[in-house]
């Protein structure tokens, strides 16, 4: 079972009478396709979600009828269809902060020669909703929809650092349950990231997510209470750890404050 689909299911109380279990299962089926596999059969989906195969069969049939999945008779497998694309596009295109922040992110990317991303959280991942990079450089290319792990990336650490303590504890417990073998090291690095945030207002990931990537992250607080995260990064051969820590991270924190002052 994929932990991003299961570990945070406890965010909804088991006895919540308003919670529609069938809808939750249908959405878990759709989420299974975000795990990197484009085409899957019912057995694949059942393995990822932990749902019984008969339940998955009913869900995939219904989602196909509604236009969210398409079925290949030759492969006997499913893939996402245009209904999901329409929902995703509607969300991204109507995200006001994305529209207002993009010119600032473009300028930051150009002046620093880094890749700049705007991200939001989905369970135990951060998802890019915007990415800006200088066209003429070899900076990181992270397309909209790319998922990042919470515990090892600068964006994820910044998001966690800015969460309310009770909610953060809940998510951290889910992270620990997902990767018990590597959790002690991850926990130590998260503690250091939280100290950095308390002291400097940013978090770092210096080769932690990808040993060839140095990055900084800062939270972005929107007026409606939504929490997002900005991140900037580049291959380590282009930007050193010292440059990220002593220059870029501070500039990124100022960029976040500029965007927040836009009133989004």
């Amino acid at each position: 079972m994929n932990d991003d689909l299961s570990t945070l299911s406890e965010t909804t109380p088991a006895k919540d009478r308003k919670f529609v279990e069938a809808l939750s299962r249908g959405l878990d089926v759709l989420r299974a396709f975000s795990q990197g596999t484009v085409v899957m059969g019912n057995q694949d989906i059942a393995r990822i979600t932990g749902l019984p195969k008969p339940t998955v069969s009913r869900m995939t049939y219904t989602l196909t009828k509604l236009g969210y999945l398409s079925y290949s008779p030759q492969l006997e497998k499913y893939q996402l269809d245009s209904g999901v694309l329409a929902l995703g596009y509607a969300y991204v295109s109507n995200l006001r902060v994305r529209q207002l922040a993009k010119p600032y992110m473009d300028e930051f990317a150009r002046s620093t020669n880094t890749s700049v991303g705007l991200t939001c959280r989905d369970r135990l991942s951060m998802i890019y909703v915007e990415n800006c990079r200088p066209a003429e450089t070899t900076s990181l290319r992270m397309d909209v929809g790319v998922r990042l792990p919470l515990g090892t990336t600068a964006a994820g650490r910044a998001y966690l650092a800015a969460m309310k303590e009770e909610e953060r504890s809940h998510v951290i417990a889910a992270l620990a349950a997902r990767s018990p073998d590597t959790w002690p090291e991850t926990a130590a690095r998260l503690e250091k990231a939280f100290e950095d945030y308390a002291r400097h207002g940013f978090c770092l990931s210096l080769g932690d997510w990808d040993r060839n990537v140095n990055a900084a992250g800062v939270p972005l607080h929107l007026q409606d209470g939504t929490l997002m995260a900005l991140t900037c990064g580049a291959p380590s051969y282009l930007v050193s750890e010292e440059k990220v820590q002593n220059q870029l991270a501070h500039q990124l924190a100022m960029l976040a404050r500029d965007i927040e002052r836009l009133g989004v």
Side-chain angles (χ1 to χ4, degrees), residues 160 163-175:
L160 285 169
M163 290 176 75
K164 294 179 180 178
E165 186 172 351
E166 181 178 355
E167 185 181 4
R168 181 174 65 228
S169 298
H170 187 71
V171 175
I172 285 178
L175 287 172

Side-chain angles (χ1 to χ4, degrees), residues 171-262:
V171 175
I172 285 178
L175 287 172
R178 183 180 67 173
S179 306
D181 293 341
T182 59
W183 178 245
E185 180 181 357
T186 301
R189 295 187 181 228
L190 277 177
E191 190 63 33
K192 174 64 167 62
F194 297 159
E195 291 174 3
D196 286 342
Y197 177 68
R199 186 176 296 115
H200 305 296
F202 58 74
C203 296
L204 304 172
S205 178
L206 305 175
D208 299 328
W209 167 60
D210 182 317
R211 63 187 181 88
N212 297 311
V213 173
N214 292 328
V218 297
L220 189 67
H221 300 270
L222 307 189
Q223 283 195 340
D224 65 359
T226 299
L227 179 62
M228 303 182 77
L230 280 173
T231 184
C232 73
S236 53
Y237 67 83
L238 287 179
V239 294
S240 66
E241 294 184 6
E242 291 74 18
K243 183 173 182 178
V244 172
Q245 184 169 0
N246 298 327
Q247 180 181 337
L248 295 178
H250 296 276
Q251 293 175 319
L252 188 69
M254 289 189 288
L255 173 65
R257 303 296 84 75
D258 288 341
I259 293 173
E260 288 174 346
R261 280 194 286 268
L262 295 174

Side-chain angles (χ1 to χ4, degrees), residues 13-264:
K15 302 295 185 180
D16 190 343
R17 295 174 59 187
K18 294 182 180 180
F19 188 76
V20 182
E21 189 67 34
L23 176 59
S24 172
R25 291 177 175 181
L27 293 175
D28 277 347
V29 168
L30 292 178
R31 284 178 183 273
F33 288 87
S34 70
Q35 307 306 311
T37 304
V38 176
V39 180
M40 290 190 290
N42 286 331
Q43 188 161 340
D44 302 316
I45 298 170
R47 174 179 52 80
I48 291 174
T49 61
L51 296 173
K53 189 177 177 183
T55 299
V56 170
S57 298
R58 293 195 300 271
M59 294 297 171
T60 53
Y61 176 84
T62 303
L63 290 166
T64 299
K65 287 294 185 180
L66 294 174
Y68 295 107
L69 294 178
S70 62
Y71 180 71
S72 168
Q74 293 80 14
L75 298 175
E76 297 185 345
K77 293 189 176 184
Y78 297 87
Q79 63 183 3
L80 295 178
D81 207 353
S82 57
V84 174
L85 176 64
L87 289 176
Y89 177 78
Y91 170 74
V92 173
S93 63
N94 289 313
L95 198 59
R96 185 165 177 260
V97 63
R98 173 178 176 261
Q99 300 165 354
L100 294 178
K102 192 176 188 310
Y104 293 81
M105 294 169 61
D106 277 330
E107 173 59 24
F108 189 97
R110 185 199 61 78
S111 63
T112 61
N113 199 28
T114 63
S115 174
V116 184
L118 176 64
T119 65
C120 63
R121 183 172 75 91
D122 177 40
R123 299 194 178 188
L124 301 182
S125 300
M126 299 298 291
I127 298 181
Y128 271 86
V129 296
E130 184 59 86
N131 178 247
C132 302
R133 60 189 287 271
E136 69 280 2
T137 72
T138 56
S139 293
L140 296 174
R141 181 176 184 85
M142 305 295 284
D143 293 327
V144 171
V146 168
R147 304 171 76 89
L148 300 173
L150 269 178
T152 57
T153 60
R157 290 170 175 176
Y159 188 98
L160 285 169
M163 290 176 75
K164 294 179 180 178
E165 186 172 351
E166 181 178 355
E167 185 181 4
R168 181 174 65 228
S169 298
H170 187 71
V171 175
I172 285 178
L175 287 172
R178 183 180 67 173
S179 306
D181 293 341
T182 59
W183 178 245
E185 180 181 357
T186 301
R189 295 187 181 228
L190 277 177
E191 190 63 33
K192 174 64 167 62
F194 297 159
E195 291 174 3
D196 286 342
Y197 177 68
R199 186 176 296 115
H200 305 296
F202 58 74
C203 296
L204 304 172
S205 178
L206 305 175
D208 299 328
W209 167 60
D210 182 317
R211 63 187 181 88
N212 297 311
V213 173
N214 292 328
V218 297
L220 189 67
H221 300 270
L222 307 189
Q223 283 195 340
D224 65 359
T226 299
L227 179 62
M228 303 182 77
L230 280 173
T231 184
C232 73
S236 53
Y237 67 83
L238 287 179
V239 294
S240 66
E241 294 184 6
E242 291 74 18
K243 183 173 182 178
V244 172
Q245 184 169 0
N246 298 327
Q247 180 181 337
L248 295 178
H250 296 276
Q251 293 175 319
L252 188 69
M254 289 189 288
L255 173 65
R257 303 296 84 75
D258 288 341
I259 293 173
E260 288 174 346
R261 280 194 286 268
L262 295 174
V264 292

